[in-house]
Amino acid sequence: MIKQSILVLSLLITTGLTNANAQDKKQLNHNSKKTINMETAKTAIEKLLFNYQDALNVSDVNKVLPLYTQDGVFMPQGGPSAIGQAQLKGAYEFVFKNLQLNIKFQIDEIVVVSEDYAFARTVSRGTQLIHATGVKGEEENRELFVLQKENGAWKIARYVFNKMK
C-alpha cells in the first residue's frame, strides 16, 4: 500500500511538473510576443513623435491635428489647455501665427503601459523666431506625452511641456 501511494504521489508530482513546465513555456511565448509588440509599439511611437516634431517645424496645423486623439489635450506652459480637435486647431494656429520653431526631439523614455496606452518623455532643443519682433532665440523644453491607440494607431492623448531655462 505504501509503495502504491509513493508511486501515485510520484506520478502526480511528475505530471504536475510537466504541466507547470508547459505553462511556463506558454507564458514565455506569450511574453515573447508581448516583447515584439512592445518593440513595434515603441517604433510606432518614435515615428509619431518625429512626425510631431516635423509638423511643428513647418508650422502646419493640418499635420499636427491628425497626430492627436479626437479628445486630445495640449497643455502649453503659461497658456490655457486646448481640449479636443477644435480647440487644438485654434491653439496651434495661435502658436504658428506667433512663432516659428526649428527644434529636434531627443527621446529620453518611452514606456508602453498596455496595448492602448504609453507615455514618452522627451527634450526638444533648437530655436524659435518670434514673428512680431523678429527676435530669434534658443528654445529648450522638457515634454511629457501620454499616448493612446485610436483606431489602431498611436496618437497624442495629452501633451505638456515646460522650459528648461
Side-chain angles (χ1 to χ4, degrees):
M1 182 75 170
I2 292 177
K3 286 183 181 179
Q4 286 178 330
S5 296
I6 292 173
L7 181 62
V8 169
L9 185 59
S10 295
L11 280 171
L12 288 173
I13 290 172
T14 304
T15 304
L17 290 175
T18 302
N19 286 340
N21 285 337
Q23 287 296 334
D24 286 347
K25 286 181 182 176
K26 196 179 236 184
Q27 188 65 34
L28 179 62
N29 289 338
H30 180 68
N31 287 341
S32 295
K33 288 178 187 173
K34 282 233 181 247
T35 301
I36 291 168
N37 289 340
M38 289 246 212
E39 290 307 312
T40 301
K42 286 183 178 183
T43 300
I45 290 167
E46 286 175 358
K47 183 178 178 184
L48 169 70
L49 295 172
F50 289 126
N51 285 341
Y52 181 67
Q53 166 196 281
D54 295 344
L56 292 175
N57 286 335
V58 296
S59 300
D60 192 335
V61 173
N62 293 321
K63 288 185 179 183
V64 169
L65 293 179
L67 303 176
Y68 273 90
T69 59
Q70 288 302 304
D71 65 346
V73 179
F74 170 47
M75 297 171 279
Q77 180 172 314
S81 295
I83 303 168
Q85 290 286 311
Q87 288 184 14
L88 287 168
K89 184 175 191 257
Y92 281 97
E93 285 173 344
F94 178 80
V95 168
F96 296 150
K97 178 182 170 189
N98 289 290
L99 56 94
Q100 171 65 50
L101 294 168
N102 184 8
I103 57 161
K104 294 276 185 203
F105 279 160
Q106 169 190 315
I107 300 172
D108 291 336
E109 177 181 38
I110 296 174
V111 177
V112 179
V113 179
S114 71
E115 288 183 34
D116 295 322
Y117 287 95
F119 66 86
R121 198 171 44 83
T122 64
V123 172
S124 61
R125 290 183 179 91
T127 61
Q128 72 171 354
L129 169 67
I130 300 172
H131 294 305
T133 63
V135 174
K136 189 175 189 177
E138 288 186 26
E139 181 73 5
E140 188 174 31
N141 294 294
R142 289 180 289 211
E143 297 98 3
L144 181 64
F145 294 85
V146 176
L147 307 151
Q148 181 180 0
K149 239 184 199 178
E150 186 177 76
N151 299 321
W154 286 102
K155 305 263 182 147
I156 301 166
R158 307 292 183 266
Y159 168 58
V160 64
F161 67 92
N162 69 331
K163 302 269 184 216
M164 292 178 63
K165 294 179 186 180

